[in-house]
Amino acid sequence: MKIIKSSTAECETEKAKFIFERVRESSIKPRENTMTIEADNLAVEDDVISIIMPGCKPSPSSEFLNKPVEENKEGLNTSGENLANLKKTESMAKLVEETKEVRISIDSNANQGRKLSSAGESKRRSQIARKASKKLPKRIVDPEIKKLLNIIKEPTSGQGWSLAVNEKNVTFYKKMSNNSPLVLVKGMAVIEGVPLEVMWKSISDMSLRAKWEPIFSSFEHIASNPDGTDIIYCVMKTPFPVTNRDFVQKQTLLLDYPAKGQAVIHFMSVEHASKPAKGSPVRAQTVISGYLIKEMSKFPLRCSIHIVTQVDMKGSIPKTLINAFAAGGSRGWVEKYKKGCAEIMNSMKK
């Protein structure tokens, strides 16, 4: 049996509504054993029609409806009742055909609408994606950060580097850079059992850093720049009779850079109107300083931290003295850093 499922809720055209109103007004009852469907439906088998109305149950009908329309034409007499039934049957058959046409038209329009809707949705999503990509700022990496990474990647053999510290999980090299009396130091330490996020936060969060790096008497956040960098101020305590040093630095923090599972922290000296140099403390200069943290493995948990530093302490301290203690000072910094990370992790467990 071919079932045409149509309802006034689905047929939005006036023609469909008119047809179903005509069907409701008809006195013809559905034939026996016709399937009942949930909405206003038409059941058609060959040329025989049955109309199922909401709430109607199948009931016996005249034998005249159990035969095709053409056979009924031949078997009918010309009595008024049979003639009326014939006209009614022909009228209903016409209504069925019109309903078929309406349904086909509606289905065709619906399919076309779905295609247009799908195409429109795809276009809309593309437009949203383009707008979103325009709103997202592109990561513009400072050339100084690329310089930091190049120093870390530079081979230590044949490039003027000399080994200064070589211990388990800690290695440092130093060399005199071109056109500078200051020694350049780089090194790498492996730290076990500490997640990358904790290692990152131990340096980038000034309140945490002050707890494990007491050589700095104060850390202060001065300003945030539109490019996502920060201006910080810190004061370094020095042994008597050397005058304390202070720094005004631009701090850059990059997560998942230069690759996923890595992080960069970079410092360089800048000037800021709120922190002019006063002579005491002596304003020191960070030529280059930074860290690259990498997760080496999860089981067991191991991370590496690459360190680069070149600092001019200014004042009357001889550069040769500064250079002599530079690598050793970095080795001591690693020990304090490891203890600081462990303390932060313990505090997180409480």
Side-chain angles (χ1 to χ4, degrees), residues 64 90 122 126 161 175 186 287:
F64 140 82
E90 291 176 341
S122 177
S126 299
W161 293 99
K175 79 171 183 177
K186 79 168 183 174
V287 180

Side-chain angles (χ1 to χ4, degrees), residues 3-164:
I3 305 298
I4 300 177
K5 300 178 69 176
S6 301
S7 71
T8 52
E10 294 175 304
C11 301
E12 297 298 330
T13 66
E14 289 298 322
K15 185 174 182 181
K17 291 180 180 179
F18 171 78
I19 290 171
F20 285 108
E21 289 300 324
R22 291 284 301 277
V23 170
R24 286 193 180 91
E25 294 171 359
S26 171
S27 61
I28 297 179
K29 297 181 180 179
R31 74 176 183 177
E32 187 176 4
N33 297 326
T34 301
M35 183 183 298
T36 301
I37 306 175
E38 293 181 353
D40 305 352
N41 295 289
L42 298 177
V44 182
E45 184 175 11
D46 297 327
D47 292 326
V48 180
I49 61 170
S50 293
I51 303 159
I52 313 302
M53 303 300 294
C56 289
K57 296 182 180 179
S59 60
S61 60
S62 64
E63 294 182 0
F64 140 82
L65 282 178
N66 290 330
K67 297 180 180 180
V69 174
E70 292 299 326
E71 293 181 10
N72 283 329
K73 284 183 180 180
E74 295 176 1
L76 288 174
N77 57 36
T78 57
S79 66
E81 182 181 355
N82 286 335
L83 184 58
N85 286 337
L86 176 59
K87 290 181 178 180
K88 190 174 293 184
T89 301
E90 291 176 341
S91 177
M92 293 307 301
K94 184 177 180 181
L95 287 176
V96 170
E97 293 303 318
E98 291 178 354
T99 304
K100 289 180 182 178
E101 293 176 3
V102 171
R103 184 60 181 172
I104 292 170
S105 175
I106 292 171
D107 287 344
S108 176
N109 290 336
N111 289 333
Q112 184 66 19
R114 279 191 290 270
K115 291 178 182 178
L116 292 173
S117 176
S118 177
E121 180 66 14
S122 177
K123 184 177 180 181
R124 187 180 69 85
R125 289 180 179 178
S126 299
Q127 290 173 345
I128 292 173
R130 284 195 296 270
K131 289 180 180 178
S133 63
K134 290 179 181 178
K135 291 180 181 179
L136 290 174
K138 292 183 179 180
R139 175 176 279 180
I140 301 175
V141 180
D142 192 302
E144 290 296 321
I145 295 176
K146 293 182 178 180
K147 178 182 176 182
L148 170 73
L149 297 176
N150 287 336
I151 293 172
I152 292 172
K153 291 188 296 183
E154 185 177 271
T156 54
S157 58
Q159 301 292 329
W161 293 99
S162 60
L163 184 63

Side-chain angles (χ1 to χ4, degrees), residues 292-311:
L292 172 62
I293 305 171
K294 297 180 180 180
E295 184 180 81
M296 300 174 68
S297 64
K298 290 186 179 295
F299 305 102
L301 180 58
R302 300 170 74 241
C303 293
S304 64
I305 179 168
H306 295 260
I307 305 154
V308 174
T309 180
Q310 187 178 37
V311 179

